[in-house]
Every structure is written in C-alpha cells, then in structure tokens.
Amino acid sequence: MNNSIQKTLSLMTHQVQDNWYEDFFKGLNCELWEKAVPEEWTKQEVDFLTQELDVQPGQALLDIPCGFGRHSVELAKRGFRMTGVDISETFITGLKKKTETENLSITTILHDVLTLELNQKFDGALCLGNSFGYFSFEKMVTFVGKISACLKPGARLVINSGMVAESILANFPKSKSYTFGDIKMDIENTYEVNQSFMVSHLTYTKAEHMERHTFKHYVFTMAEIHRLLQQCGLHVIGNYNSPSRSPYQFGDPQVYIVAEKS
C-alpha cells in the first residue's frame, strides 16, 4: 500500500463514528453475508449451541443481534421459541418474511440493542458473528448487562467472535479479498493503537455496481471479556476455537465463549 493510500485510510479511521452500525447493514453488505456462510456450518454451530446452552425444544432463546437470522431460523426449525433483535431494517424485514412464510416461532424486533428493553426472561442467549465488540467497553457493559438481566438464573450465553485481541493481532490482516457468488469484497484494515479498535474499509463489487462501507470494531483481550462478563453476573465456563470444542489458543481465528448466569 503506498503512502497516499495509508494517509487517506488513517484519516478515515479517525473519522469513523461510534454509531457506524446504525446504517451499515444494508445493500450489498447484507446480500453478501447471506451468501457467505454455508448452511452446513450453521447447522454445526446450532448443534453446538443447543448442547452448550443446555436447552431443550420449547424453551425461549434470545438471538442478539440476529443479523439475517440464520441461527434463529435453524433453532426455530428445531422447536425453540426464538426472539431475534437487530438494528438492520433489511435483515429484520427479511427474517420476518421468512418467519411468516415458513410459520416459524420467531419474534423479530427492529431495535438498537443498547436501548432495547426486554420484559421476557430467556432460557439462553446467543451473540454470534463478530458483533461482540461493536461498542466501546462502557457500552459493552450496557449491552451485556441487558442480556444478563433477561436471562433466568443458570441460563447461558454463547459468544462467537474472530475479533478478540488474541485472534486478530496475532496475524493482523492489512488487506484481504473474498468472493461469494457474484459479489467480490475487498478489505483494507487499519488499527488505532491508542484506543484499541480496528477500522475496516470495505469495497463491494457486483457486476457494474460498487458500494463502499466502513466499520469500527473495538478489540478486547480474552481477560477483558471475562472481566466484563463477570461484572454483569456471568461467569465463563468454556472457551473453544470451534463447534468441535477444541480449547481456544493464541492465534486461533475464532473463539466461542460460554458463560452462565449466576
């Protein structure tokens, strides 16, 4: 990357606001992620979820944020009563349509997870797909606190991320390219060392159409995440690198954290 591009990305990094996620999830960005994950992988993750959450069909689970609902849909097909929350109108509209078409037990809620008030108690919760870290530490306390407050005693939360410090900083990716179906995604990453967040500049190309999106992701160490969960009344009972349950190690690209409500 030449110096002019580096300077431009550095300037853009400092200009990314903390509320970037409010209008990020739309257009080709949403379309790509619906194509990116194979159905078989979703089924493996849901097998893992049902076992680690220690739940049975008929119980109520919270998927927050739920994205386009790949986990909620599969869990609902297995008999669970799902509640999916997301700020993306594109995602929630699509999930609601699928719920109605397939007669699935999924309550869809279009809302910012930081200001959401839930009056229901859940038997388990899931936060998968790198969304754990969209906010600063203080706002993450608010987010996790809201999840913890609506969990029954002994209920569990499963978190999945490829953005914890031990994963992302071991081999920091300055640039990457992916192609899913007819959409190409080019990524340029920068890292703000003083505030410990990564900014990704994404360029999507589909035929003659191009879109650019930018997101900010705060990077927490595993110890910080454990302390955060503990602060919110959740104690960690497992750290894995995949649904196969192998112990998470430094440099593993993904982590699955299982925590239980005290």
Side-chain angles (χ1 to χ4, degrees), residues 16-21 134-136 139 216 218:
V16 178
Q17 301 300 310
D18 270 356
N19 63 341
W20 61 269
Y21 55 87
Y134 284 175
F135 320 119
S136 64
K139 290 181 179 178
K216 175 191 289 187
Y218 286 89

Side-chain angles (χ1 to χ4, degrees), residues 54-180:
D54 192 23
V55 288
Q56 298 297 322
Q59 291 186 293
L61 303 179
L62 174 65
D63 187 356
I64 183 169
C66 63
F68 64 92
R70 65 187 181 93
H71 298 105
S72 283
V73 168
E74 180 63 25
L75 284 160
K77 288 179 178 179
R78 299 189 189 193
F80 292 93
R81 294 182 291 113
M82 301 302 302
T83 295
V85 182
D86 206 279
I87 198 171
S88 169
E89 185 174 358
T90 300
F91 280 151
I92 289 296
T93 298
L95 179 56
K96 186 175 182 179
K97 182 177 180 180
K98 190 175 187 66
T99 296
E100 293 170 349
T101 300
E102 300 187 22
N103 194 29
L104 300 173
S105 179
I106 305 176
T107 299
T108 55
I109 301 176
L110 177 64
H111 212 288
D112 186 335
V113 297
L114 290 177
T115 58
L116 178 70
E117 296 297 334
L118 288 168
N119 297 317
Q120 181 181 350
K121 292 293 184 180
F122 293 91
D123 300 293
L126 49 143
C127 178
L128 275 66
N130 288 341
S131 52
F132 197 89
Y134 284 175
F135 320 119
S136 64
F137 188 87
E138 293 75 18
K139 290 181 179 178
M140 286 300 296
V141 171
T142 297
F143 173 52
V144 176
K146 286 180 177 291
I147 297 176
S148 180
C150 67
L151 289 177
K152 297 176 182 178
R156 296 176 180 177
L157 165 66
V158 174
I159 299 162
N160 160 244
S161 178
M163 299 291 287
V164 299
E166 289 81 358
S167 289
I168 199 69
L169 299 182
N171 297 286
F172 185 76
K174 292 186 177 180
S175 63
K176 282 188 175 182
S177 292
Y178 301 93
T179 299
F180 298 102

Side-chain angles (χ1 to χ4, degrees), residues 175-198:
S175 63
K176 282 188 175 182
S177 292
Y178 301 93
T179 299
F180 298 102
D182 57 352
I183 303 175
K184 182 183 179 185
M185 176 174 66
D186 295 303
I187 308 172
E188 296 291 343
N189 296 317
T190 57
Y191 191 78
E192 174 53 55
V193 296
N194 293 323
Q195 298 184 58
S196 297
F197 65 74
M198 186 174 90

